Amino acid sequence: RQGLMIRKLFRLAFPRRVRLPSGVHFHHHSGTGRVPNLGDFLCTPKHYFVFESDRPALILGGGAFNGLGTQTASTFKASVRVCWAVGQSLRFDQHHAPLDRSSVNRVYAIATTRDPSIADGKIGLLPCVSVLHPIVDMPVGDRRGMILNFNPDVSGDVLDQVLAKYRDDGFLVSTNATPADEFFANFRQIAELTTNSYHAAYWGLLSGRRVRLVGYSSKFVDLLALFGIAGEHVEPYARGSGEALKQAVLAVAAKEPISLASAEDCKDRFRSMNLEFARSLEAVGIRARAVENRAVETAA
């Protein structure tokens, strides 16, 4: 029994490395399984580009990986590793060590982040690649909407109660686990959005919608910083507490929603940044061609 325990601890400390064959391989939060998440599903560049490489190559991202995913990326044996627009999600109510930049630079041939707070000369700033999805081209609707994170570890155990209340108040309600076609149909009708979803807020602002944002971690402050908006516009709550979420939603309703002065210019700039980054990968042997029709087959 003691030997079995030692072997388990060894595997945790030194996980087996996955040897990748030639070509480009992707790792991101799948957004499927027990807790679906449409934002996680749509934030990988594999939907928006066709990639080729003569060597084994790993692209990690997008989405949130604390430490920019260096521990995860290290488990893949590849000739080149790329970090594409990965962010961190550091809870407001916890202390966190600074980013280990030496590890990031050692693990990745090229690293980018969606977080302005940690971007520097070696870790480039790159907004989430889902800016290339047609959801951000949807015209603004005329309804008030609420899109909440379906995960009970994020929104607590009162999600149905909250959504039912606001549905009764005339809101169009949804979650990030709603089937894609239904989610897009709802999103199209919304003019003013209350959300605790990073990607729903990102898409909302880029498409010209007004947003009220509640959040539990640094990623929401960094999201607003991408747009030059102060972090104080995030209404904070304790992650996983349904009661705290309810209070935050009530509090943010009393505030003016946030919006962009020129969403179209911002969207064009973010798209150009991702297209230019894809072209830059040729320097490490990865060829990328943008997909002409960006409609993504979604199973979420």
Side-chain angles (χ1 to χ4, degrees), residues 115-130:
D115 293 350
S117 65
I118 56 176
D120 62 12
K122 292 185 177 180
I123 304 173
L125 181 65
L126 187 66
C128 178
V129 73
S130 65

Side-chain angles (χ1 to χ4, degrees), residues 191-274:
E192 187 172 291
L193 172 65
T194 300
T195 188
N196 68 339
S197 161
Y198 180 101
H199 285 98
Y202 182 66
W203 301 331
L205 289 168
L206 286 170
S207 60
R209 287 161 171 80
R210 301 185 301 278
V211 174
R212 288 186 168 93
L213 186 58
V214 298
Y216 51 84
S217 77
S218 62
K219 70 178 182 179
F220 298 97
V221 175
D222 270 302
L223 169 62
L224 294 188
L226 264 179
F227 300 106
I229 299 171
E232 65 194 35
H233 291 279
V234 179
E235 185 64 35
Y237 76 97
R239 186 179 190 270
S241 169
E243 290 303 315
L245 175 63
K246 287 198 294 186
Q247 293 305 312
V249 169
L250 283 172
V252 82
K255 298 182 177 181
E256 284 296 312
I258 54 180
S259 60
L260 302 181
S262 181
E264 199 70 25
D265 288 348
C266 194
K267 178 175 64 178
D268 289 345
R269 179 163 54 88
F270 286 8
R271 283 178 166 170
S272 294
M273 291 170 72
N274 274 277

Side-chain angles (χ1 to χ4, degrees), residues 59-82:
I59 295 179
L60 185 136
F65 290 82
N66 289 344
L68 295 195
T70 54
Q71 191 169 13
T72 298
S74 296
T75 65
F76 294 92
K77 193 170 184 179
S79 300
V80 59
R81 301 186 195 92
V82 171

